[in-house]
Amino acid sequence: MGVKLLLAKAHIEGIRSYDVYRREGGYQAVEKALKTMSPDAVVEEVKKSGLRGRGGAGFPTGMKWSFIAKPEGVPRHLVCNADESEPGTFKDRYLMEHIPHLLIEGLIVSSFALGSNNTYIYIRGEYAWIVDILEKAIEEAKQNGWLGNNILGTGFDCNIYVQRGAGAYICGEETALLESLEGKRGNPRIKPPFPAIKGVWDRPTVVNNVETLAAVVPIINLGGEEYAKIGVGRSTGTKLISACGNINKPGVYEIDMTISVEEFIYSEEYCGGIKNGKRLKACIPGGSSVPILPANLLLKTAKGETRYMNYESLSDGGFATGSMMGSGGFIVFDEDQCVVRHTYTLARFYRHESCGQCSPCREGTGWMEKILLRLENGHGKMSDIDLLWDIQSKIEGNTICPLGDAAAWPVAAAIRHFRDEFEWHVLHPNEAQVRNFGLAHYADPLQVPAGA
Amino acid sequence: MAEETLFKVTIDNITVEVPAGTTILQAARKIGGEVTPPAMCYYSKLQGSGGKCRTCLVEVSKGSEKDPRPMPKLVASCRTTVMDGMEVKNVTSPRVQEARAGVVEFLLINHPLDCPICDQAGECHLQDLSYEHGKEGSRYEFQKRTFKKVDLGEYIQLHMTRCILCYRCVFAADQISPKREHGVLDRGDHAQIATFIQKNLHNEFIGNVIDVCPVGALTDKTFRFKNRVWFTKPVNAHRHCDKCCGEVQLWLRGDEVFRVTARKDEWGEVKEASNGKTGWICNDCRFEKKNLADWVIEGPTNVNRHSVIAQNKYVGLVKPTETFPAIMKGRNPKLLMDIHSVSEVNKPNIHLSQLERPAHSTDFNQ
Ligand SMILES: Cc1cc2nc3c(=O)[nH]c(=O)nc-3n(C[C@H](O)[C@H](O)[C@H](O)COP(=O)(O)O)c2cc1C
Ligand code: SF4
Ligand code: SF4
Ligand code: FES
C-alpha cells in the first residue's frame, strides 16, 4: 500500500461532518500554522515540500506563492479553482464530496500564508450538491472558530465564499475564472499582467487547484521536508488520479508517485486490469488535453525504461513519445475503441468550449471537428490527415490561453501515433462503419499483468 | 518633468527609439511600411482592445539587452511592450508569415466573402489583410456558419456573418457611448455580437461602432447600398456641434453627401480632433446632416492607406513608407512588376478627385 495523505481518512464514517473530522485530527494544521508559524514560514514550508500544482500545469506552488505582489494597503486574495471540467478528471469532486473539511483547512492555512482575508472557491455549476456540502463545512468551521475574525486569537481574519460557475470549461483557466468571479463574461485575460500582480478586481491573487490546497494540510502537519521524501525527484507527495475507461475498477486513487503505470493499470489495488479480459490499446494519462499514448509507449518509454506515474516519467520523450501528468484524469482504452472517433469526440468538446476570443482557436477547433467527423463517417480523404496536422500546428502556440494548445495536442498525438488507423478509415470507409480498427503494432509487446 | 526613458528596438533590421511602455506594434507603426504588422482587433484609442485576432503576431528573436533570450512563442505585438535592445522579426520571419497566413485562413473560413454586395468593400481591413497576407485559396470544404441579419434600429445594420469578433464595437460602446446595450453572446465559433433580446442601438455616440468595425459587420443604414465607397470622394469638413468635435469626413458624389464618418489616420483609426480632444462624432453629425449646406468644407482628405480607395488618384495621396531597402540591409530587389504603369489600365495621369462627378470609363478612354 502506498502512502495516503489526502484520502487516508476519507472513508471514516461521518468524516464529512466537522466533529468527526476534528476528532480524527482535523484542523491541527491551522493551529500549528497560525499559532507557531509566520506567513512566510508557511510559504517556506510549501517551497521545501516541492509541491507542484495539481490543476494541470504542475507549476511549483511555493514559488507561485512567493511571486504574489504585496503593495501597501491593497487586499490580496486566494482563489480555489474547483471548476474541474476536463474530460476524465473527477478527483476534486471526490475530495470535496467526501472530506470537505480538508479543503477548508487547507484554504485557511494557505490564506494565512498569502494574507488573504477573503478567499473564494470557484466551483463548476454542475457540482451543485457539492456547493451545499462546502457551505455546510464553512459554516461549521466558522462556528468552531476556524473562520471569521481574529481566528484563534491570532488577529488573522478569514472568510471563505463559494461561487458557482455556469458550466463553461474555459472558466477553469485561471484568468477566465477571475473574470467570471468578477461577474463578467469568462474570457481569458491577456497576460501579462499575471494574477499574482493583478488578479481579481486588479488585486494580487493566487489561483490554485483544490487538490493543491488540500495538500498544504499534510505539508504543514508533516513538515515540508518529510513531505518531500514521499515520491521521487521533483514529483513529491501524493497525487490523486481519477481513473476511467475500460478498466475493472474505475475511481479516484491516491498514489505516491513511485508506482509504475503498469502497476497502476493492472494491480488489484488500483485499476484492476482491463475489463472483460481485453487488451490495452491506448491511454490518456492526464486528462483530455494531454497527448494520447499507445500501449507500448505508455508502459515503457521510447528508451525501453519502465514508465512511472509521476511528472517526469510521464513526460519522458516530450511530445514525440511521451505525454503529461496533467490533472490526473487517467483514461484507458481497450482494443475495441476507435481512436478516430475518440479524437472527434474531444475535438467536439474543445470546439464547444472555446471562448471564441482568438481566431485560431475559435475557427480552428470547429474546422478540426468537421474534418474528424467526415473521417469517422467514412467520407474522409487522405489529404485530410495532413490538413488536420497543419490546422493543429497553426493553433498551437498562437492563442491567448492554453485551451488552443489543449485542443491541438490530442489531434496531433492521435495522428502521430495512430496515423495508420486514420488511413484505414479513408481506405476502408464502409468497413470502418461496421467494425473498429482494433490493435496494431503499437499494442506489442503486450504486457502480461505482472504478478496479478 | 523626469526625462522619458527611451528604449531601442529593432524590427526587421530597422532600429527605432520609443518611450518605455510602447508596444511592439506602436514602435513598428513609427517605422511604417511593410514592417508594421496588420492589426484587426487592436485599436489604440480603445482601452483593453487587442490580443484577440492574432494577425499581429511577431517573433521576438532577442528579448532585451539584459536578457537576450528569444521568446519561445510568437507574441501579439499589439499587447507586448518593448524592452531595451529587443529584436523583433516580422516580415523577415518565415514563422510569422506562416502563422499569419494561418490566421488569415482561419478568419476567412466562415467569412461569407460577399464583398461584391458589402458596403465595406474598398475600405475593409479584412480585404487588405487577405490580399496582403493570405493564400490564394481556402482548404475549407464545409458549409460556412451564417447568421440572420439583425436590424439594430434606424441607423445601424448588423451583419453578424461578416463579423470577426474583434470586440472593438463592444469596447467602443463601453468607452465612448453613454451606454452599452450590445455585447458578445455565446462562445466559440457560435459566439455573436448581439443585444440579447433584440433591441435598437441608439444613443448619441453609438454610430462610432461603425467606424471601429474593421469589416462590414456594422454598417451605416443611411448609406447602405447607396454607392461604392470608391465612387465617392472624401473631403474634410466641419460644423459647429455642441455634442462632438464636429470634424468629419464627408463622402461626396457631386454635391450630394452620401455618408459622414469620423476622420481616420493611416491605420484606419479615428484621429484626434484639431483641439486635441477625441475625434469621435455624434449621431447627429453622422446620420442627420446630409446637406452640403450643413458643413464647412475644408478640402479633399489625404488618403494615405494602401486600400482600394487609395488606388484612385486622390489629391494629396500619401504613399506608405518604402521600407524595403532598409529591411534588406541596403539591397533593393525588384519584387513586383508595376502592372499599372505597364498596362496603364488606370491612366495614372487622370486625377479622379478633380472630376466633379464619379468617374466613368469614358474618362479613361479620352
Ligand atoms: C482551458 C483550461 C481549463 C482549466 N481548468 C482547470 C480546472 O478545472 N481546475 C483547475 O484546477 N485548473 C484548471 N486549469 C488550470 C488553471 O489555469 C491553473 O493553472 C490552475 O488552477 C493553477 O492551480 P495549480 O497551480 O494548483 O495547479 C485549466 C486551464 C485551462 C487552460
Ligand atoms: S485559446 Fe480559445 S479559449 Fe483561449 S482565449 Fe483563445 S479562443 Fe478563448
Ligand atoms: S461587429 Fe465589427 S467591430 Fe464588432 S466585433 Fe464584429 S467585426 Fe468587430
Ligand atoms: S491586433 Fe494584435 S491580436 Fe489583433
Side-chain angles (χ1 to χ4, degrees), chain A residues 354 357 359 363 374 381 390, chain B residues 52-53 110 139 141 188:
Chain A
S354 160
Q357 265 193 109
S359 342
E363 306 293 347
R374 172 158 92 180
K381 299 185 277 193
D390 193 57
Chain B
K52 300 189 197 292
C53 70
N110 278 308
R139 297 173 291 176
E141 298 170 322

Side-chain angles (χ1 to χ4, degrees), chain A residues 138-365:
Chain A
I138 291 168
E139 194 46 43
E140 286 174 334
K142 197 178 257 169
Q143 267 160 22
N144 289 282
W146 303 103
L147 281 171
N149 289 342
N150 195 15
I151 300 167
L152 303 180
T154 58
F156 175 61
D157 307 336
C158 185
N159 288 299
I160 300 177
Y161 303 94
V162 186
Q163 174 62 47
R164 281 174 65 170
Y169 169 60
I170 191 58
C171 289
E173 195 278 336
E174 55 186 6
T175 56
L177 184 154
L178 297 177
E179 286 282 298
S180 176
L181 187 59
E182 290 181 11
K184 301 182 187 146
R185 181 186 161 85
N187 276 0
R189 294 179 183 169
I190 294 149
K191 295 187 254 188
F194 291 92
I197 313 292
K198 271 189 173 189
V200 69
W201 301 297
D202 282 351
R203 298 167 180 171
T205 304
V206 163
V207 182
N208 273 130
N209 174 255
V210 170
E211 186 190 345
T212 314
L213 293 166
V216 171
V217 175
I219 289 171
I220 295 304
N221 285 335
L222 295 173
E225 270 163 35
E226 277 307 305
Y227 183 90
K229 286 183 190 155
I230 304 163
V232 283
R234 289 178 56 237
S235 302
T236 60
T238 61
K239 173 88 187 86
L240 298 184
I241 305 288
S242 57
C244 63
N246 308 112
I247 45 177
N248 280 317
K249 291 168 44 186
V252 175
Y253 297 99
E254 182 170 7
I255 59 164
D256 69 23
M257 291 182 265
T258 56
I259 63 167
S260 69
V261 177
E262 185 177 353
E263 182 185 346
F264 185 70
I265 296 180
Y266 288 102
S267 77
E268 274 312 309
E269 191 183 344
Y270 300 106
C271 303
I274 308 296
K275 226 173 166 170
N276 303 325
K278 300 264 181 181
R279 291 178 160 209
L280 172 67
K281 175 172 182 173
C283 172
I284 301 176
S288 65
S289 305
V290 312
I292 187 171
L293 282 181
N296 56 353
L297 285 174
L298 175 72
L299 304 180
K300 293 241 181 336
T301 66
K303 287 174 260 164
E305 291 160 0
T306 305
R307 208 185 275 282
Y308 291 93
M309 294 287 288
N310 62 47
Y311 290 94
E312 289 83 15
S313 187
L314 282 174
S315 59
D316 187 294
F319 277 5
T321 59
S323 185
M324 276 160 81
M325 181 72 147
S327 58
F330 195 85
I331 312 170
V332 179
F333 299 82
D334 72 12
E335 59 193 272
D336 291 340
Q337 306 310 314
C338 171
V339 170
V340 177
R341 175 152 203 91
H342 152 74
T343 312
Y344 159 67
T345 309
L346 285 187
R348 191 180 55 179
F349 171 79
Y350 286 108
R351 173 194 158 231
H352 187 253
E353 298 298 334
S354 160
C355 83
Q357 265 193 109
C358 43
S359 342
C361 171
R362 177 182 67 239
E363 306 293 347
T365 49

Side-chain angles (χ1 to χ4, degrees), chain A residues 48-96:
Chain A
K48 272 192 235 160
S49 75
L51 175 67
R52 293 169 67 174
R54 306 294 197 225
F59 193 83
T61 307
M63 204 187 312
K64 186 169 182 170
W65 286 11
S66 63
F67 289 154
I68 192 168
K70 294 182 175 168
E72 203 58 45
V74 182
R76 301 187 285 277
H77 294 286
L78 170 66
V79 177
C80 170
N81 189 342
D83 194 58
E84 193 168 62
S85 315
E86 177 122 329
T89 311
F90 46 91
K91 62 184 179 73
D92 296 343
R93 159 180 166 175
Y94 190 90
L95 192 149
M96 293 186 286

